């Protein structure tokens, strides 16, 4: 039996071994502690009467004479017997002779974990990814960032691992699902740091994620699956309203009874194809904005005060929200990347998109985050694909504002609020590559977004003094916070409405909002498929 200690606060600079601290908390001798496992670890940056910042733990402790300890502490609501969490059953459904293997379209988190789940069940899935393997993709992206040619098939959006591989690798999520543990353990088995199993805000980082996704790919292959790159699904064939085949690169026919579409939020041509084939789809809200950058030590000081820079503390982040009564819209920070950089994330020629990225150590010295404002179908007009056209329009404007060579438009906060452009003496040099040019962000953002950001920035500055200082740079634009459409599906079976055989999954289908939720969504769709086969 294990005892669980909840809400166990320890000064961040206390280096006493956890076993000894647990013994003190339980009122036993140190030698009575058999083992201690961290279940959760978070930073409490609030200060209590001048006391140091705290690490707050949930611990599972094996202790001798545990029944006596539990009886003595029966009135202590923060010490309890650990209740084992039932793990979801592993479904085994080996592919039968003559049976068509399931196909996974897209190899981002949703497709990857759908394929992994199917492979573990013995289904030998075929994965078709339009982009390139992560090593080729990394070379193509670095070349583009350093002034080389843009590749529409191998970029930050498309390729092995999906868009999240070239982001911060954050694993935080708002969902609560027993499959989350399975996803985290799969990441660890593939080379991610063990700490992601317990940190309150876990992340892997782009540099480590590249190895993790390769190892997951090889695990799928080891289990009998096949992964093909440069294999874009350009059409689907239906028979009697059901999926019958996929067309790859306009010519190869792949017979299929079941296909999991984890296409990502930037597969605009695939949206168009699926809509033309009659899939039930609807426009949905998303968000548009800019990337703002500060020195990381500024954010650390804002969060940690005099303790900023202490090696035991993680680099600090922030989360900001504002509701604008005048425009009726909310502004918020999104995908905050401590110690990272702003990256070129275009997926179509002649259009410009930004995103944020961090490596595992988050040691670039620069913090960046998106500042976003929601836009809705009321903003971009009728039509299922109107949001896609809206994104394309403003991304083309950003491309032009930056000079037409994938340099990004940048503007200081002071210039943005004053309605002018040209200042280039920034608090921190903009990190976006290939490069930046000063411009008016109002030329490439919707007016309502500009108005809401102009109202939000002074409010954010009250929360973090100096956040909206005049010389802080903002780089535009960010349009890919989430998918602009939703592919409608049945809640229980995960099957697309009106089109049996197609399983829309992940962020691109409109059912997830990050690495973890997309991975869980892909896994659950695969399990629903396996349950139907059973």
């Amino acid at each position: 039996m294990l005892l669980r200690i909840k809400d166990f606060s320890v000064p961040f600079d206390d280096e006493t071994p956890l076993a000894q601290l647990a013994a003190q908390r339980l009122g036993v001798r140190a030698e009575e502690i058999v083992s201690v496992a961290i279940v959760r670890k978070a930073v409490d940056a609030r200060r209590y009467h001048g006391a140091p910042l705290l690490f707050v733990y949930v611990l599972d402790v094996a202790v001798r004479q545990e029944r006596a300890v539990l009886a003595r502490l029966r009135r202590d609501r923060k010490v309890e017997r650990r209740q084992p969490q039932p793990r979801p059953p592993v479904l085994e459904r080996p592919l039968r002779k003559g049976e068509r293997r399931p196909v996974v379209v897209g190899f981002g988190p949703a497709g990857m974990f759908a394929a992994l789940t199917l492979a573990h069940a013995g289904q030998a899935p075929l994965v078709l990814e339009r982009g390139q393997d992560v090593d080729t993709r990394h070379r193509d992206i670095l070349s583009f960032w350093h002034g080389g040619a843009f590749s529409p098939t191998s970029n930050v959006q498309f390729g092995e691992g999906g868009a999240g591989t070239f982001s911060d690798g954050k694993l935080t999520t708002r969902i609560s699902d027993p499959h989350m543990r399975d996803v985290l353990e799969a990441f660890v088995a593939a080379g991610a740091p063990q700490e992601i199993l317990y940190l309150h805000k876990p992340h892997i980082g782009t540099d480590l994620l590249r190895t993790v996704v390769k190892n997951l790919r090889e695990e799928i292959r080891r289990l009998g699956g096949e992964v093909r790159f440069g294999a874009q699904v350009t059409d689907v064939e239906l028979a009697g309203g059901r999926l019958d085949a996929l067309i790859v690169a306009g010519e190869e026919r792949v017979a299929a009874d079941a296909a999991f579409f984890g296409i990502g939020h930037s597969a605009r041509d695939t949206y168009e194809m699926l809509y033309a084939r009659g899939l039930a789809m609807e426009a949905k809200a998303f968000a548009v904005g800019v990337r703002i950058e500060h020195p990381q030590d500024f954010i650390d000081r804002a969060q940690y005060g005099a303790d900023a820079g202490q090696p035991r503390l993680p680099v600090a982040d922030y989360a900001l929200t504002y509701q604008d009564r005048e425009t009726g819209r909310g502004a918020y920070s999104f995908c905050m990347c401590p110690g990272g950089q702003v990256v070129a994330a275009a997926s179509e020629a002649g259009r410009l998109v930004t995103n944020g990225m961090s490596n595992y150590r988050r040691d670039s010295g620069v913090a960046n985050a998106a500042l976003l404002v929601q836009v809705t179908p009321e903003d971009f007009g009728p039509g299922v694909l109107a949001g896609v056209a809206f994104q394309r329009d403003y991304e083309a404007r950003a491309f032009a504002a930056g000079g037409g060579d994938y340099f990004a438009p940048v503007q200081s906060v002071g210039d943005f609020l004053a309605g002018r452009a040209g200042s280039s003496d920034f608090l921190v040099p903009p990190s976006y590559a290939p490069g930046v040019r000063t411009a008016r962000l109002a030329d490439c953002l919707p007016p309502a977004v500009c108005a809401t950001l102009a109202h939000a920035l002074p409010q954010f500055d009250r929360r973090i003094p100096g956040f909206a200082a005049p010389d802080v740079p903002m780089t535009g634009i960010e349009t890919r916070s989430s998918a602009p459409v939703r592919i409608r599906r049945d809640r229980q079976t995960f099957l697309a409405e009106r089109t049996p055989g197609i399983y829309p999954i992940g962020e691109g289908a409109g059912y997830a909002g990050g690495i973890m939720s997309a991975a869980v969504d892909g896994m659950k769709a695969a399990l629903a498929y396996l349950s139907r086969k059973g």
Side-chain angles (χ1 to χ4, degrees):
M1 182 178 73
L2 294 175
L3 301 184
R4 175 158 289 181
I5 304 175
K6 300 183 295 183
D7 298 328
F8 184 38
S9 298
V10 179
F12 84 93
D13 54 358
D14 188 339
E15 299 187 23
T16 306
L18 275 178
Q20 186 174 336
L21 292 172
Q24 294 170 5
R25 177 67 178 81
L26 297 175
V28 300
R29 298 189 308 275
E31 54 267 27
E32 295 296 307
I33 301 296
V34 177
S35 65
V36 177
I38 302 174
V39 178
R40 183 61 58 92
K41 179 183 178 182
V43 178
D44 185 348
R46 297 169 295 179
R47 293 187 177 275
Y48 303 93
H49 308 294
L53 306 183
L54 301 173
F55 288 148
V56 182
Y57 292 95
V58 175
L59 302 176
D60 279 350
V61 183
V63 59
R64 296 184 177 89
Q65 305 297 324
E66 69 276 356
R67 295 185 184 278
V69 173
L70 190 60
R72 177 166 47 81
L73 298 175
R74 63 185 180 277
R75 299 181 185 276
D76 191 332
R77 294 185 178 181
K78 295 184 179 181
V79 178
E80 63 186 18
R81 177 180 296 174
R82 193 198 74 170
Q83 299 298 324
Q85 295 296 316
R87 301 301 295 272
V90 176
L91 294 180
E92 295 185 3
R93 301 281 189 270
L95 202 65
R96 293 185 286 267
K97 186 176 180 180
E99 184 180 16
R100 292 176 173 180
R101 59 180 171 171
V103 181
V104 176
V105 182
F107 203 47
M112 188 172 293
F113 276 84
L116 187 64
T117 303
L118 295 167
H120 276 297
Q123 286 286 301
L126 168 64
V127 178
L128 301 173
E129 165 57 49
R130 68 188 294 164
Q132 299 302 312
D133 67 274
V134 75
D135 289 331
T136 301
R137 184 184 180 200
H138 186 220
R139 290 193 296 271
D140 292 340
I141 289 170
L142 289 182
S143 174
F144 172 51
W145 289 350
H146 289 88
F150 165 73
S151 170
T153 60
S154 183
N155 49 59
V156 165
Q157 306 295 347
F158 298 143
E160 183 174 24
T165 301
F166 289 88
S167 183
D168 186 63
K170 285 181 288 291
L171 305 179
T172 51
T173 179
R174 295 179 181 178
I175 69 168
S176 178
D177 190 282
H179 294 293
M180 287 173 56
R181 183 74 181 186
D182 298 316
V183 173
L184 291 173
E185 288 180 351
F187 279 138
V188 171
Q194 189 83 13
E195 66 195 23
I196 69 171
L197 296 175
Y198 60 79
L199 287 181
H200 175 58
K201 295 181 178 179
H203 89 111
I204 300 177
T206 288
D207 49 344
L208 299 189
L209 261 174
R210 294 198 300 271
T211 297
V212 169
V213 299
K214 283 191 292 187
N215 289 339
L216 288 170
R217 175 229 301 165
E218 292 309 310
E219 176 68 2
I220 291 167
R221 286 176 169 169
R222 185 188 69 80
L223 293 166
E226 180 184 354
V227 181
R228 292 173 52 188
F229 298 107
Q232 181 179 354
V233 172
T234 53
D235 206 349
V236 297
E237 287 186 4
L238 307 177
R242 299 183 60 88
L243 176 68
D244 189 53
L246 305 172
I247 306 302
V248 179
E251 53 187 32
E252 180 187 358
R253 186 179 188 275
V254 177
D257 295 326
F260 297 79
F261 275 75
I263 58 178
H265 56 37
S266 296
R268 293 163 171 173
D269 47 3
T270 308
Y271 287 147
E272 292 166 348
M273 177 271 290
L274 293 174
Y275 184 60
R277 289 289 170 259
L279 266 76
M281 298 167 65
E282 60 191 13
K284 61 177 284 292
F286 55 97
V288 174
V290 299
R291 281 270 156 186
I292 191 167
E293 294 187 89
H294 301 88
Q296 182 61 49
D297 59 6
F298 165 76
I299 303 299
D300 290 344
R301 290 194 304 272
Q303 297 291 70
Y304 297 148
D307 293 321
Q310 293 291 333
R312 288 176 62 83
L313 290 172
V315 290
D317 60 8
Y318 58 81
L320 298 169
T321 61
Y322 168 72
Q323 188 64 36
D324 189 357
R325 294 181 180 178
E326 184 172 328
T327 67
R329 299 171 191 263
Y332 59 98
S333 61
F334 174 77
C335 187
M336 195 272 157
C337 297
Q341 67 185 85
V342 179
V343 300
S347 61
E348 294 178 325
R351 296 185 172 92
L352 191 141
V353 187
T354 65
N355 197 6
M357 188 189 90
S358 296
N359 287 327
Y360 172 68
R361 294 190 178 277
R362 291 174 162 173
D363 56 2
S364 76
V366 180
N368 78 82
L371 298 183
L372 301 180
V373 177
Q374 189 175 65
V375 294
T376 71
E378 293 182 358
D379 295 301
F380 39 82
V384 168
L385 301 177
V388 171
F390 184 88
Q391 288 177 328
R392 282 173 163 160
D393 177 32
Y394 281 99
E395 290 167 12
R397 297 186 194 198
F399 183 75
D405 55 2
Y406 296 101
F407 275 45
V410 66
Q411 188 175 22
S412 70
V413 168
D415 279 5
F416 177 78
L417 294 176
R420 60 175 183 261
S423 299
S424 58
D425 186 14
F426 297 118
L427 178 64
V428 60
S431 61
Y432 173 96
V436 298
R437 291 191 178 95
T438 58
R440 284 170 42 88
L441 291 172
D443 292 339
C444 53
L445 287 172
V449 171
C450 285
T452 305
L453 288 176
H455 297 157
L457 282 162
Q459 300 300 320
F460 292 161
D461 196 76
R462 292 184 176 94
R463 295 271 303 276
I464 303 177
F467 184 88
D471 55 354
V472 169
M474 298 192 301
T475 305
I477 63 173
E478 180 139 347
T479 58
R480 311 288 181 90
S481 62
S482 64
V485 300
R486 178 174 290 109
I487 306 173
R488 285 160 40 190
R489 71 186 187 191
D490 181 86
R491 290 186 177 184
Q492 277 71 47
T493 67
F494 289 77
L495 283 164
E497 293 183 12
R498 303 202 304 253
T499 317
I502 290 181
Y503 292 79
I505 58 174
E507 192 163 348
Y511 295 99
I515 291 174
M516 285 298 293
S517 57
V520 168
D521 195 64
M523 178 179 286
K524 291 172 72 173
L527 290 171
Y529 166 78
L530 293 169
S531 296
R532 286 169 59 85
K533 289 178 67 65

